[in-house]
Amino acid sequence: MRHGYFQVLLFLFVFPTVTAQLKVDAELRPRFEYRHGFGTLFPNNVDASAFVSQRTRLNTNFKKEYLNLYLSVQDIRVWGDVPQLNRADKNGFGVHQAWGELLFNPEFSLKLGRQVLNYDDQRIFGGVGWAQQARSHDAALLKYNKNKFRFHLGAAFNQDGESTTGNLLTTANTYKSIQFAWFHQNWESFAASFLLLNNGLQFIDTANVDNSETRFSQTIGTHLKYTKSNIGLTSNIYYQFGNDVNENDISAYLFSLEANYKLQPKFSLIIGGEVLSGNDNGSPTAGENKAFSPFYGTNHKFNGLMDYFFVGNHANNVGLVDLYLGTVVGLGERTSLNARIHNFSAAANLQNIDSKQLGFEADFVLNYNFRKDINIKAGYSHLFASEGMEILKNNFDNNTNYWAWAMVTIKPTLFMTKIEE
């Protein structure tokens, strides 16, 4: 894997054809975490989890008049997951991104390969940068950019591997196929995006494989952003319909609104709320699924940093109402503090309880830019669970739930040059 990667670098150096630019950069990101109720309520008679995970990346970006080429390989590990005298790493190197973009003219291009899909505030499509492995797609993306208007048309089709017969996808936690269109327009103080996503999930009939099929749902919606002087407003409005993988009819929605007011250059107030529809008692009934799914978004960014909702959990459940208040405070030229308090409640009815209240979460993140290419962050989060959260997570042990972490990100540019013909 690494041998092939450096062969590509050698080719770029030895066989230049036209004026081009080559940039090589790296990323090293170790992160310590102490988990005592992260992701779900902490149970009795267990110890808290403490570990250091690390992401290591090597990125190469090659540009010339008609081509952009990007390669990114990464190693993801937990300190100690392989012995000191190891013959091979546990996970080994993997390809995070490997794409080429053909530039037909200044407006049109075609991007092919493994790539990150990031749109708007990353609510539906995001890179999931917090996760050490992050998210990328094997996709084709047609792009049109002119002035303040952008249009992207994308598609992906997944298989387990090469075969002579059949198209059944057995790989878990991925889609069979997607098609999407994204429109974006900027004005002086306002920006608007529109997204249409056709999402296909593989259904496998274990009793009769011939009945297996791809079942599609559709998501349509808009992302709106207004900025004027010291005031900023953002909103998401999405609706989902079609069928889920179990052939339930989907009728679900998401609505969010956030206001940001800058009182001083280094002090901002944030107030907002988000509603994601859900199912009464936490499951679809009578063939209808009312639970909204944010699909491929950066869900860690939303609904509290302790990942109780929509980060590998809470699918097809009671939905969520998240009301929050936050602030960003500058503590110097290089340091800032971000704090938020969330009030969580269910969007649909909880089983065996009249109240929809789930609890409160307080998040604090301290950010320090040590140098241009070195950043240090540390955070602490505390969840105050209510009876509704205990029912939702099926845990009634009544323990304290908190999470602490510290992370260093080192991202130097290793090499940059122009290549002449």
Side-chain angles (χ1 to χ4, degrees):
M1 173 64 207
R2 281 172 285 185
H3 178 70
Y5 185 76
F6 286 110
Q7 278 185 328
V8 173
L9 291 179
L10 183 62
F11 176 84
L12 296 177
F13 276 107
V14 177
F15 300 100
T17 56
V18 295
T19 302
Q21 178 178 299
L22 176 66
K23 178 183 177 182
V24 180
D25 60 75
E27 178 182 3
L28 180 70
R29 195 177 79 169
R31 181 170 69 222
F32 168 79
E33 295 185 49
Y34 185 86
R35 296 180 174 182
H36 193 285
F38 177 86
T40 191
L41 298 176
F42 196 73
N44 287 332
N45 302 318
V46 297
D47 294 327
S49 173
F51 58 89
V52 178
S53 61
Q54 180 174 309
R55 175 165 82 196
T56 306
R57 281 184 183 167
L58 183 64
N59 309 311
T60 300
N61 193 1
F62 176 75
K63 294 182 179 181
K64 57 184 176 181
E65 183 181 4
Y66 57 87
L67 174 67
N68 289 336
L69 179 67
Y70 188 80
L71 303 175
S72 176
V73 294
Q74 66 182 14
D75 172 75
I76 307 301
R77 66 178 59 233
V78 173
W79 287 9
D81 67 359
V82 295
Q84 297 167 16
L85 301 175
N86 68 308
R87 292 180 179 271
D89 288 344
K90 183 177 181 180
N91 296 312
F93 267 79
V95 174
H96 174 53
Q97 293 193 71
W99 53 262
E101 184 175 14
L102 312 181
L103 308 175
F104 301 120
N105 57 46
E107 288 85 29
F108 276 103
S109 66
L110 179 62
K111 190 176 179 181
L112 300 169
R114 192 160 188 87
Q115 57 190 281
V116 172
L117 297 177
N118 258 340
Y119 288 102
D120 302 315
D121 62 351
Q122 304 186 46
R123 198 62 182 107
I124 306 298
F125 280 112
V128 197
W130 170 261
Q132 298 286 38
Q133 72 278 9
R135 185 197 299 276
S136 52
H137 304 251
D138 298 312
L141 186 64
L142 181 66
K143 301 165 65 176
Y144 174 78
N145 300 326
K146 186 170 184 180
N147 299 326
K148 296 182 179 182
F149 176 75
R150 288 183 284 170
F151 169 64
H152 291 187
L153 187 65
F157 179 76
N158 290 329
Q159 287 290 87
D160 291 328
E162 295 183 9
S163 63
T164 55
T165 61
N167 285 298
L168 199 64
L169 178 71
T170 60
T171 303
N173 300 320
T174 191
Y175 50 80
K176 175 62 178 179
S177 69
I178 59 170
Q179 302 83 39
F180 68 90
W182 177 75
F183 306 81
H184 180 82
Q185 176 71 49
N186 283 322
W187 291 273
E188 183 177 351
S189 301
F190 183 69
S193 298
F194 178 79
L195 175 69
L196 172 61
L197 167 64
N198 189 40
N199 190 74
L201 301 179
Q202 179 73 72
F203 168 74
I204 299 177
D205 189 337
T206 56
N208 185 355
V209 177
D210 292 337
N211 291 333
S212 300
E213 61 182 357
T214 305
R215 293 175 175 173
F216 288 92
S217 66
Q218 292 75 43
T219 301
I220 58 173
T222 185
H223 173 79
L224 307 173
K225 187 173 182 179
Y226 172 81
T227 305
K228 187 73 171 181
S229 186
N230 295 334
I231 299 175
L233 297 172
T234 58
S235 179
N236 286 318
I237 306 171
Y238 291 102
Y239 180 70
Q240 289 179 340
F241 55 100
N243 297 103
D244 66 15
V245 72
N246 295 315
E247 212 169 14
N248 295 301
D249 293 328
I250 298 174
S251 178
Y253 63 88
L254 178 151
F255 174 75
S256 71
L257 180 63
E258 179 180 291
N260 185 316
Y261 181 64
K262 185 175 290 186
L263 295 170
Q264 298 176 7
K266 295 184 179 181
F267 182 61
S268 299
L269 287 177
I270 301 166
I271 185 170
E274 183 176 52
V275 180
L276 297 91
S277 63
N279 296 305
D280 287 337
N281 303 321
S283 61
T285 56
E288 186 175 20
N289 188 350
K290 298 180 180 180
F292 188 89
S293 173
F295 285 127
Y296 316 110
T298 303
N299 295 324
H300 176 78
K301 180 182 175 183
F302 304 88
N303 312 133
L305 298 180
M306 290 181 72
D307 289 354
Y308 272 61
F309 307 102
F310 304 109
V311 183
N313 55 34
H314 206 64
N316 300 322
N317 215 303
V318 294
L320 185 67
V321 178
D322 177 10
L323 304 176
Y324 56 89
L325 179 67
T327 183
V328 178
V329 182
L331 303 177
E333 292 298 322
R334 301 182 180 181
T335 309
S336 63
L337 176 66
N338 189 318
R340 286 199 182 188
I341 298 177
H342 296 261
N343 177 22
F344 300 129
S345 57
N349 294 321
L350 287 164
Q351 191 171 16
N352 301 324
I353 187 174
D354 292 332
S355 174
K356 295 182 179 181
Q357 182 66 25
L358 299 176
F360 293 86
E361 180 177 323
D363 298 320
F364 303 93
V365 177
L366 185 66
N367 180 77
Y368 175 57
N369 293 315
F370 177 70
R371 289 290 187 273
K372 180 181 178 181
D373 50 7
I374 301 175
N375 175 263
I376 302 172
K377 284 187 173 74
Y380 177 82
S381 298
H382 200 106
L383 181 79
F384 302 89
S386 67
E387 183 183 0
M389 186 74 81
E390 294 175 341
I391 293 173
L392 183 65
K393 299 297 184 180
N394 193 30
N395 183 326
F396 304 89
D397 293 342
N398 196 28
N399 289 311
T400 304
N401 298 281
Y402 58 92
W403 171 57
W405 57 275
M407 181 171 71
V408 179
T409 303
I410 304 170
K411 298 181 69 172
T413 297
L414 304 180
F415 181 82
M416 182 182 294
T417 188
K418 288 185 177 180
I419 302 173
E420 302 291 340
E421 184 175 8

